[in-house]
Amino acid sequence: MDSINLKARAKINISLDVLGKRDDGYHDLSMIMQSVNLCDDIFIRKTEEEGITLKTNISWLPTDGRNLIYKAASEMVSRYEIKSGLFISLRKVIPVCAGLAGGSTDCAATLIGIRNLFNINIPMKELMALGKELGADVPFCLIRGTALAEGIGEKLTRIAPFPKCSILIVKPPVNVSTATVFKSYAPEKVTAHPDNEKLIYCIKKGDLKGTCENMCNVLESVTIEEYPVIAEIKKFMNEKGAMGAMMSGSGPTVFGIYRTYYSAISALKAVKEKFGIKECYVTNAFNIFE
Ligand code: ATP
């Protein structure tokens, strides 16, 4: 095998709670993460000439050591003494700096892709430890599906697959820095915290209504204050029939959960018309059945 194609899927947060600040500056979190079928396409090919070449359709995205794909590939090359060079092409679809773990999922797909391309015998546990060094969300992007993520996001417990639904994803055209959102997080401003045990129970029962009613993200308190459009989009999605709508991660992306594909598509059209936002997608949950 000389080349491999990979799908790098985005994630949304069904819940996000900040439990406290750690001595190393990170925060302890408790969140339910869900993979979705909105994805980037990655192609990796072996080359005779040495070195890593990364090309992408987004002109302003770095293609050197600042890109998580490049970082993942260099790590694999040096750790596992890979002799050939690599040509990697990335077709970016997942909105960037959006709270959808776009960079982390590209990173995870690259780790898996290189492992498979060179038939390297690396247990998942080892790949996850390497992934954690590259980014807190990378271990989840390696296991995918539905999981409770604790610690800085790396302690993962798989939970039951997400109930069947359609998901409308809307990324307003504002830039949010994850680090700044966490820095500005003030627990005293938070009025509600997620009940993750209840959410896990609802997901397990296939109770979509209960799941939607219990979705909660404490970081909305920070990002919505700065960008009220997030709250406006949530409200509008609910008016257009969403069973629940929430910000993902540190934002600014908002997602709405719809019972049917048709209701999600009609809400997408309405959102585009009202807010003039280009980055709108209808997708669904990517589940792992074990
Ligand atoms: P998270 O939800 O994990 O906080 P995010 O969706 O908010 O992630 P990303 O899209 O992963 O944010 O991008 C954050 C930063 O990472 C950007 O500044 C971007 O330049 C950089 N980056 C590095 N590699 C990639 C990549 N492959 N795809 C997207 N961004 C990347």
Side-chain angles (χ1 to χ4, degrees):
M1 185 162 66
D2 283 331
S3 66
I4 191 165
N5 282 295
L6 302 136
K7 288 206 178 301
R9 292 181 173 84
K11 65 88 188 157
I12 54 170
N13 286 86
I14 302 303
S15 69
L16 193 161
D17 203 4
V18 178
L19 304 180
K21 199 166 177 192
R22 301 154 42 124
D23 293 340
D24 60 7
Y26 283 97
H27 287 81
D28 267 318
L29 308 172
S30 176
M31 50 194 180
I32 295 175
M33 317 263 266
Q34 176 64 49
S35 303
V36 292
N37 276 314
L38 178 68
C39 65
D40 293 341
D41 291 313
I42 298 176
F43 168 79
I44 309 177
R45 180 166 51 80
K46 294 179 187 170
T47 59
E48 273 171 23
E49 55 290 1
E50 272 181 31
I52 301 162
T53 307
L54 173 62
K55 296 253 184 289
T56 173
N57 58 326
I58 307 276
S59 58
W60 47 267
L61 205 64
T63 51
D64 53 17
R66 288 167 296 168
N67 196 301
L68 281 163
I69 292 183
Y70 197 101
K71 273 191 190 162
S74 330
E75 270 302 317
M76 292 295 281
V77 166
S78 64
R79 276 191 193 214
Y80 301 102
E81 296 170 358
I82 294 171
K83 297 286 176 257
S84 78
L86 294 169
F87 169 81
I88 308 177
S89 123
L90 162 69
R91 191 176 76 93
K92 192 94 203 146
V93 175
I94 303 170
V96 181
C97 285
L100 297 170
S104 305
T105 194
D106 290 349
C107 178
T110 305
L111 295 176
I112 299 264
I114 295 177
R115 181 193 68 174
N116 294 354
L117 192 56
F118 293 92
N119 283 318
I120 313 169
N121 187 14
I122 317 169
M124 193 52 154
K125 217 173 152 197
E126 195 175 316
L127 215 53
M128 283 169 80
L130 167 55
K132 186 191 158 193
E133 285 173 30
L134 297 167
D137 285 343
V138 178
F140 170 74
C141 294
L142 283 166
I143 69 157
R144 307 181 296 177
T146 317
L148 173 70
E150 296 169 295
I152 60 166
E154 88 293 8
K155 284 186 201 147
L156 297 164
T157 311
R158 192 178 288 292
I159 56 185
F162 202 75
K164 197 170 169 282
C165 63
S166 273
I167 303 168
L168 170 59
I169 290 184
V170 174
K171 153 79 175 37
V174 295
N175 287 321
V176 168
S177 143
T178 305
T180 312
V181 171
F182 274 102
K183 246 182 230 152
S184 314
Y185 177 71
E188 64 279 4
K189 285 193 186 161
V190 175
T191 49
H193 290 266
D195 181 343
N196 282 333
E197 266 183 38
K198 195 168 182 185
L199 268 167
I200 292 168
Y201 177 80
C202 290
I203 293 171
K204 201 173 165 192
K205 290 258 157 201
D207 175 4
L208 187 58
K209 188 165 173 282
T211 303
C212 290
E213 282 168 1
N214 285 285
M215 294 194 308
C216 180
N217 178 351
V218 297
L219 295 181
E220 284 188 340
S221 62
V222 182
T223 318
I224 290 183
E225 194 166 80
E226 182 142 359
Y227 301 109
V229 69
I230 294 169
E232 288 166 31
I233 298 169
K234 279 179 62 174
K235 186 166 172 273
F236 189 72
M237 281 185 180
N238 284 326
E239 284 165 10
K240 294 290 159 196
M243 300 178 70
M246 199 174 76
M247 184 180 88
S248 182
S250 51
T253 300
V254 182
F255 66 90
I257 305 234
Y258 292 81
R259 179 88 61 194
T260 66
Y261 174 73
Y262 298 102
S263 52
I265 284 287
S266 109
L268 175 142
K269 286 184 189 146
V271 167
K272 276 196 167 174
E273 202 170 298
K274 181 168 165 76
F275 295 94
I277 296 175
K278 286 199 192 107
E279 291 187 284
C280 300
Y281 308 87
V282 169
T283 185
N284 53 9
F286 173 78
N287 284 318
I288 301 272
F289 296 88
E290 283 190 328

